[in-house]
Amino acid sequence: MTNNEIVMQGSPSLENGFYINTSGESAHEKNYALKTAGFWVRFWAFLLDGFIISAVGGILVNPIFYLMDWSLSDSVWYAPISIITAIFYYSYFVLMTKFFGQTLGKMVFGLRVISLKHDQLTWSDVLFRDWIGRIINNIFMPLYILVVILPENQGLHDYFADTTVVHEKIFIEKASTPTTLPKQEEHIEITVQEEKIDLAKLEEKNEQ
């Protein structure tokens, strides 16, 4: 965080997306943006999601396997328990993110997935993020550390989908450049136009 940024809780009261400082100093535009979530808070939310998936999966899946006399201990990827667990795991992340913008773990920690290119998450955003990108991350677990490195605290799956995770109620205030600059440029342009008009009048007078 730079000297020009502050963190505030809740939703800022704004008009037209910015606040104008009306004090005696030169006016500045202040833009507000949701604060991106760092590695650790996302890690704890992911861990909570893992516990929820395991608990719900055990309640729903295990009785069926007992009734069908199927093995619950097979670890090969093509075993029925592996396939059903994978379907449930990725469906949970895809559907929760698409319809709610957050999983249960993210809800607990006040986090939300947003798109950096759309107003709302699309199916392609969610599928690239929580299906293809998450499969790659789960195969190469150290890739999750990219949240610390990439811009906007993006994980690899966020990078694929052009998304990120933000805190729902924490905003960063950024002061932009003074609003007096456009007025100076406008004044210069008006002055140049006036000089051209005066020159044209002088030429007409000389011709006469």
Side-chain angles (χ1 to χ4, degrees), residues 4 18 29 40 43 51-52 57 66 71 87 101 105 150 152 166 178 190 193:
N4 292 329
F18 59 85
E29 291 185 1
W40 285 110
F43 171 78
F51 286 135
I52 293 171
Y66 282 123
S71 174
I87 293 173
L150 290 178
E152 304 293 341
V166 297
I190 292 173
Q193 290 177 353

Side-chain angles (χ1 to χ4, degrees), residues 50-74:
F51 286 135
I52 293 171
I53 293 170
S54 298
V56 175
I59 294 171
L60 297 179
V61 175
N62 289 7
I64 298 175
F65 271 68
Y66 282 123
L67 289 175
M68 300 299 295
D69 197 24
W70 291 343
S71 174
L72 290 167
S73 59
D74 289 341

Side-chain angles (χ1 to χ4, degrees), residues 24-133:
E25 300 176 357
S26 60
H28 285 72
E29 291 185 1
K30 294 181 180 179
N31 299 315
Y32 293 84
L34 288 167
K35 186 179 186 304
T36 56
F39 173 80
W40 285 110
V41 67
R42 292 179 62 171
F43 171 78
W44 293 118
F46 176 73
L47 203 62
L48 181 56
D49 284 325
F51 286 135
I52 293 171
I53 293 170
S54 298
V56 175
I59 294 171
L60 297 179
V61 175
N62 289 7
I64 298 175
F65 271 68
Y66 282 123
L67 289 175
M68 300 299 295
D69 197 24
W70 291 343
S71 174
L72 290 167
S73 59
D74 289 341
S75 58
V76 292
W77 67 268
Y78 53 83
I81 186 61
S82 300
I83 295 174
I84 292 176
T85 300
I87 293 173
F88 182 72
Y89 175 88
Y90 292 108
S91 297
Y92 168 82
F93 283 103
V94 168
L95 297 177
M96 289 293 295
T97 302
K98 178 62 180 74
F99 292 110
F100 300 100
Q102 53 192 165
T103 59
L104 294 176
K106 289 184 176 68
M107 290 180 187
V108 171
F109 288 91
L111 307 179
R112 178 175 293 275
V113 180
I114 63 169
S115 173
L116 298 177
K117 58 183 179 180
H118 303 128
D119 292 334
Q120 295 182 342
L121 292 169
T122 64
W123 277 109
S124 61
D125 294 335
V126 175
L127 290 174
F128 270 103
R129 182 186 191 276
D130 286 306
W131 182 35
I132 298 174

Side-chain angles (χ1 to χ4, degrees), residues 151-162:
E152 304 293 341
N153 291 120
Q154 291 178 296
L156 183 65
H157 52 315
D158 288 311
Y159 185 78
F160 283 155
D162 207 5

Side-chain angles (χ1 to χ4, degrees), residues 158-200:
D158 288 311
Y159 185 78
F160 283 155
D162 207 5
T163 60
T164 190
V165 178
V166 297
H167 294 271
E168 288 188 290
K169 296 182 179 180
I170 302 179
F171 291 80
I172 295 179
E173 176 186 311
K174 298 181 180 180
S176 61
T177 56
T179 57
T180 55
L181 291 178
K183 293 182 179 179
Q184 292 176 355
E185 294 176 358
E186 182 180 355
H187 176 70
I188 293 172
E189 183 178 352
I190 292 173
T191 303
V192 171
Q193 290 177 353
E194 290 177 349
E195 290 178 353
K196 289 181 179 178
I197 293 172
D198 293 339
L199 182 61

